[in-house]
Amino acid sequence: MTKHPVALAIALALSVAVALPGCDSTANLTEQEHIQRAKDFEDKGNLKASIVELKNAIQKNPDSPQARLLLGQVYLKAGMGAEAEKELSQAEKLGVNPESIKPQLGEALLLMGEYKRLLDTIQPGEQTSKTNLARILQLRADAMLRQGGMLKEACNLFQQSLDTATGNPPTYWGLAQCAIAVRDMPKARKWLDDALKIKERQAQTWGYIGDWEQLSKNQPAALVAYGKALEIEPNNLKALQDRATLSIAMGKLEQARLDIEKTHKLAPKALGSIYLQALYDFQQKKFPETRDGLQEVLKISPDHMPSVLLAGTTAYAMEAYQQSESYLQRFLARYPAHAFARRIMAATQIKLNQPDKALETLAPLITLDSQDAQALAMASDAYRIKGENMNAAALLERAALIDPTNAAIQTQLGITHLTTGDSLQAITKLESAAALDAHQYKAESLLVQTYLSRREFDKALSAIDALEKKLPDSAITHNLRGNAYLGKRDPANARKSFEQAVKVDPRFFPAVASLAQLDLTDKKPDAARKRFEHLLESDKNNLQAMMALAALAGLEKRDQDYVGWLEKAQKAHPQAIPPRTALVAHYLAKRTFPDALKVASEAVNLNPDSTAALVLLGNTQMAVGERAKAVQTFSKLAQKSDHAPDAFLQLAMAQIANKQYKEARISLQKSLKLKADYLPSQEALIRLEMTENKPEAALQVARSMQAQQPKSPLGFDREGDLQLALNHVPEAVAAYRLALEKGAGGAGLVKLFRAQVIVQPKVAEQSLQDWIRKYPGDAAVRAFAAEFYMRNGRNREAIAEYEAVNRLVPNKVLLLNNLANLYAREKDPRALATAEQAIKLAPDNPGVQDTLGWILVGQGQASKGLVWLSKALAKAPKNPAVRYHHAAALALTGNPAQARKEIQALLADKPQFSELADAQALLKRL
């Protein structure tokens, strides 16, 4: 614990005073006097003072075997295995009989979790007494039991220990554990009652009785047993630790705190004391402190399995899912039947987007006769991620039947119904969940969001009123109400609700952001900016506010302020990735590549375990052309995320860019091994096979897609693409037709048309027209038809389709530009107005500038047209049509010499464009 500054100053002053000559009352004591004082302190249960005296004795005589032996024994009592092992080994070197010290060394190794070392080194010899033989057999049995996988051998050794000598209580404790392992609880209790008849170590026996009561689900009786142990030995470390652990589980945190404080006073460096503090910190949700304490434990004893399990659970709570997975794998390798560990492992795998692994982990817990509602609910979540919503719903229904009063399961069932599209059933389940738990509000919150997504805003407002009863005067409810009013197109009431949310909690960012968005809608950017600045006054390091201010600066093209806010954000949050990502994007856009690389590299240096930081650096290296370095970066990503198919895909893309095709294929195969139907990797592999001129291999990937998802159009669509690229037109038509039958939609129809028009043009056109008649609202297909008619000189048909598309999706620049061109070709007076409409939407687009200028020239307004054509030429100096139009306008505005010069330069480039003949004719006239 951290001392108060004044207390610390006093402690330092006292320590200085103790060091002054002549002030230490024990300075003149002999070695034996220190040893005697140590024994007295030990008898009184003051192990800490006993250790101090024995250290003083050793300071007087470092080669004292007696002091070393006693110190080792006291360390054992204090649960400090490593320190005990060190002193006992030194005592043996100084002449203490190895046979007498073996059992104590074995106890030290057992405390340290050094089970293999114990089995290798602590073995009976010819000189071993019966008493010590029984202890050694028992210690070896304990090591086997804790190491796992050797239950039968361990129990046999415990029996041999008992047959050798009946006065060793730990032998009875071990036999009780053997009985528990085969679920013979009465026999286990008999062994413990027999141990209680032995006068030695009765406190420890009561501790084991407490453990037995816990296994019998009788927590109050367990507390009584631990209390009896402490009546016999008030400073019994294990009993204190066990009672504290149970008190934490029972929510008796004050009792737990008192016991933990006492263990720290008795043995501050003992493994059990440190672990117990970590467990208490975890209960208090102090996860960083928990992690630090567990790291200290695992340095002393890497195989301390309770700490390994708690470390995995803590890592999960801190969202360090890869670390969590690593710890839990170690624990489950030792204890594969541990249900809690399996559930946490499955939850971790779900967070890592590994639903198949999660289902494999949960398999023993979700058998047909399973009553584990929690495991069934988690398995449902895994199926939901896989997109198997029917399986998800079925498992969740089973969980709900087992535990019908569990509001969390009812809430999840509502979410599952939402994913299947059954929002009415989802609403029913969410309403049920809301009624089950008066203190839970997740169900009501989801119910509100469901109504909002269904645009049932009045029902959402009613649900918010219900939620408000559980969360009175909460920023959350006011914010939700504001969103509902926004949906009702009532910005005034929305603003009032958001302002109320901010009044309740000035730091509630969603409401501040919504108010800022309303300000922007009202064309008040200064008011929006002031909102975020005001938030920073009360929360000076608020990352979201800084990012919002940067975004506002970007909208207003204030580059210096944009960069400034992002730099402030990364300074305040050096490990945050979003501000660095935005800065990198800015520097790349400005082509200041060294700055971009510097920011991305810093992200990795500050976040060495962050996959997001590695992705940022790798993508930046790709963007600036450092492909070999990008390969190295994405290799690190794949090592850290060896469970993620996307990591290997990104590595493959970098390898392809670096022309490492063989390595890229291996990376893609690894990605697909993790997730066989991972579409991005399948498509990348198809492209790679075609790059290396391996069409059959590419087709094999497409057909595997078809086999994996026979009802999906994707695999058939990809086969069509490949067959068309190979000029296998009939095969392409057949594949595209299958894709269309399986739901490829308008995009599939367009692909089928492009292939079919090559071999069956009339059939293709008829299919196109039939589709438009059947789906007149398919703007994309109608736009494609217009382009097809336009390319083939069928202007009136093209105009009809473009006009229809413009009615469906008005004010599309390219559509209006093409329509203006078509009107001009057909001498339609609407050409100029349509071109002017397009130029209002995109005044800097050279294609639109060229169309307007050329129409003006065609209508006898060559001077006005030349202005627009000059702008178009400045932006597209190599476009042959723009160059021809500009020269023609020059010729009509009294500058034939310049016109001739430009036409000659154009024709010297031997361009291929639709107006080539017109350009050649103009040159002859000039």
Side-chain angles (χ1 to χ4, degrees), residues 38-59:
K39 288 179 179 179
D40 293 340
F41 281 127
E42 184 185 356
D43 291 341
K44 293 173 185 176
N46 191 344
L47 301 181
K48 194 173 179 181
S50 179
I51 289 169
V52 170
E53 289 296 336
L54 289 168
K55 283 184 175 180
N56 287 336
I58 289 169
Q59 194 172 18

Side-chain angles (χ1 to χ4, degrees), residues 426-505:
I427 289 167
T428 302
K429 293 298 181 185
L430 291 171
E431 287 173 341
S432 171
L436 281 171
D437 192 342
H439 302 290
Q440 190 212 57
Y441 60 85
K442 182 180 179 182
E444 279 94 340
S445 180
L446 284 168
L447 186 60
V448 171
Q449 291 168 32
T450 302
Y451 283 133
L452 290 174
S453 67
R454 286 167 59 90
R455 306 189 66 78
E456 295 179 9
F457 301 116
D458 289 326
K459 288 184 177 180
L461 287 168
S462 297
I464 291 165
D465 290 341
L467 175 61
E468 203 161 33
K469 292 175 183 176
K470 292 185 177 181
L471 290 173
D473 204 24
S474 163
I476 293 171
T477 52
H478 292 304
N479 188 64
L480 287 170
R481 187 174 285 113
N483 288 330
Y485 280 124
L486 279 181
K488 286 169 67 71
R489 298 185 180 179
D490 185 350
N493 274 318
R495 184 181 287 277
K496 286 179 184 176
S497 296
F498 292 135
E499 284 174 345
Q500 189 61 31
V502 173
K503 185 179 178 181
V504 171
D505 183 358

Side-chain angles (χ1 to χ4, degrees), residues 733 737 749-771 784 788-789:
V733 169
R737 186 176 285 114
L749 183 278
V750 168
K751 287 190 173 185
L752 174 59
F753 177 89
R754 283 175 172 157
Q756 199 167 37
V757 78
I758 299 169
V759 290
Q760 297 172 303
K762 290 184 179 179
V763 175
E765 279 200 49
Q766 188 60 52
S767 298
L768 182 62
Q769 290 162 8
D770 290 346
W771 184 275
F784 170 78
F788 171 74
Y789 294 139

